[in-house]
Amino acid sequence: MNVLVCGGAGYIGSHTVYELIEQGHSVVVADNLVKGHREAVHKDAKFYEGDLRDAEFLDRVFGENKIDAVIDFAAFSLVGESVTEPLKYFDNNVYGTIRLLEAMNRAGVKKIVFSSTAATYGEPENIPIVESDTTVPTNPYGESKLTVEKILKWSDNAYGIKYVALRYFNAAGAHISGEIGEDHSPESHLIPIILQAALGKREKIAIFGDDYPTPDGTCVRDYIHVTDLADAHIKAIEKLFRDNTSSVYNLGNGTGFSVKEVVEEARRVTGREIKAVIEGRRAGDPSTLIASSEKAIKELGWQPRFNTLSRIIETAWKWHSTHPNGY
Ligand code: UFG
């Protein structure tokens, strides 16, 4: 199959490109390299540098390649930044995807897998969270992704574009080869920050709040390995070709770990002392986010393979310890 991966130079996108190529697919990557890294793109993928909001650029990509399906990762994803700069998020994440859907229509491409998020739910009403739960995002990032999910629904209705939206919980870890991994600037995610402290690149990590209604008072999250996420995208494409129906799935391991548990496990994996201090809560953090991924397991035939926190941190450590300054 020929797959166009938008945002294929980013963290989850680059891992998905590796999986696609390992499974024998042909891959075209489109990325504006604002957040992505050219070095993260697999050497066997065809690379185009450009922006989804540029219709001429997209027409060139679709015109020069026979694309069977699209996977769209191209988006900004910093929750805090989205609160202070909402228009930047709606412009890139929503308008960019609208341009992409228009180009797909012009090229007659009718299948898309969309990178969505647990942030579409906002403050959860049930744990574990199921796909039919209420979606009330508490930040513009989650709102932008939920908006695209709605645009996809109506694009299916009007143009017959079939989609799978994948709502990731906490993406973590790195490719088992150690060749690609997580490199954000600025970094705000827990596991890379802990590993930067293990490497001595930070003096300490701050634990944002220990007064949450959780067993040890720190926030609980469902960490899911990036290669397992990548695998789900390929299974989602296969499903679109199998039954040609649109759907939404959560992707997580179904197990929650507290911030303190993650720090403790990172100390064990790295063998390093990692200094942690308790600070105040970070605005907008829900206390607990755990996915029910039963629907994806049943309908996509997906099964996470890196399903322990130690495997996730070990692969992340392999990447960070060999690439202390990123790419
Ligand atoms: N945390 C700390 N210290 C840090 C960084 C994070 O204590 O230095 C805590 C956070 O408060 C949170 C947990 O570690 O409780 C995980 O934080 P991350 O920033 O790694 O991840 P989030 O759960 O905030 O965000 C993730 C994704 C987002 C997505 C969101 C859905 O990264 O893209 O889940 O709620 F929107």
Side-chain angles (χ1 to χ4, degrees):
M1 210 166 333
N2 289 318
V3 183
L4 170 62
V5 181
C6 302
Y11 172 43
I12 306 173
S14 60
H15 285 76
T16 302
V17 171
Y18 265 58
E19 283 304 296
L20 282 162
I21 287 172
E22 273 170 31
Q23 294 189 25
H25 298 289
S26 297
V27 180
V28 176
V29 169
D31 198 300
N32 63 9
L33 298 182
V34 168
K35 294 285 179 183
H37 306 274
R38 182 66 184 87
E39 305 90 316
V41 179
H42 195 291
K43 63 175 177 25
D44 295 338
K46 190 169 171 186
F47 180 72
Y48 287 84
E49 183 175 348
D51 196 292
L52 296 194
R53 290 161 292 190
D54 178 349
E56 275 177 29
F57 166 71
L58 283 176
D59 284 344
R60 186 160 68 85
V61 173
F62 282 104
E64 292 177 3
N65 301 280
K66 198 205 141 300
I67 302 296
D68 299 308
V70 176
I71 308 181
D72 181 22
F73 295 99
F76 291 139
S77 61
L78 294 174
V79 171
E81 183 186 61
S82 80
V83 176
T84 51
E85 295 189 70
L87 299 181
K88 176 176 164 179
Y89 274 69
F90 289 111
D91 178 48
N92 193 34
N93 299 5
V94 180
Y95 182 66
T97 310
I98 292 173
R99 289 279 97 97
L100 173 63
L101 291 166
E102 287 170 346
M104 285 173 64
N105 259 338
R106 287 194 294 277
V109 178
K110 298 285 183 186
K111 292 179 173 55
I112 182 168
V113 178
F114 176 65
S115 167
S116 190
T117 171
T120 52
Y121 294 107
E123 196 62 50
E125 50 183 15
N126 303 304
I127 296 292
I129 300 171
V130 293
E131 291 82 353
S132 53
D133 283 349
T134 314
T135 45
V136 188
T138 50
N139 54 66
Y141 167 65
E143 193 80 75
S144 73
K145 292 287 182 175
L146 185 62
T147 303
V148 172
E149 286 192 15
K150 291 175 180 171
I151 290 169
L152 287 169
K153 186 183 90 174
W154 292 108
S155 296
D156 177 358
N157 184 59
Y159 319 119
I161 293 180
K162 300 297 172 187
Y163 68 92
V164 171
L166 299 174
R167 294 177 178 164
Y168 321 141
F169 282 63
N170 287 60
H175 195 266
I176 194 164
S177 66
E179 284 173 25
I180 52 171
E182 191 167 7
D183 179 6
H184 294 120
S185 184
E187 188 52 77
S188 66
H189 296 101
L190 180 64
I191 292 177
I193 284 178
I194 292 174
L195 297 181
Q196 286 173 356
L199 285 167
K201 293 180 67 70
R202 288 174 192 261
E203 188 217 327
K204 58 179 192 237
I205 83 128
I207 295 177
F208 298 142
D210 67 349
D211 57 350
Y212 284 97
T214 59
D216 66 17
T218 64
C219 288
V220 170
R221 294 288 181 273
D222 182 341
Y223 295 89
I224 177 77
H225 196 278
V226 64
T227 299
D228 287 328
L229 291 180
D231 187 41
H233 291 75
I234 300 172
K235 293 206 156 47
I237 292 182
E238 289 166 358
K239 183 191 179 285
L240 285 172
F241 278 93
R242 197 166 57 238
D243 66 14
N244 205 38
T245 55
S246 298
S247 18
V248 178
Y249 298 104
N250 286 341
L251 297 177
N253 270 312
T255 312
F257 292 96
S258 73
V259 176
K260 280 186 177 169
E261 285 173 323
V262 176
V263 174
E264 207 42 63
E265 189 58 28
R267 287 180 179 138
R268 198 192 63 73
V269 167
T270 62
R272 309 260 173 116
E273 197 189 323
I274 299 166
K275 190 174 169 199
V277 295
I278 308 293
E279 288 189 6
R281 290 184 177 197
R282 185 172 72 177
D285 272 344
S287 70
T288 303
L289 289 175
I290 300 173
S292 163
S293 302
E294 290 308 311
K295 191 178 170 203
I297 289 167
K298 192 159 156 260
E299 294 183 16
L300 296 179
W302 176 70
Q303 195 65 57
R305 289 173 291 158
F306 296 88
N307 56 359
T308 61
L309 186 60
S310 58
R311 288 294 281 140
I312 290 171
I313 297 178
E314 277 160 20
T315 58
W317 180 234
K318 184 171 179 180
W319 159 256
H320 283 281
S321 55
T322 53
H323 300 78
N325 299 313
Y327 283 99

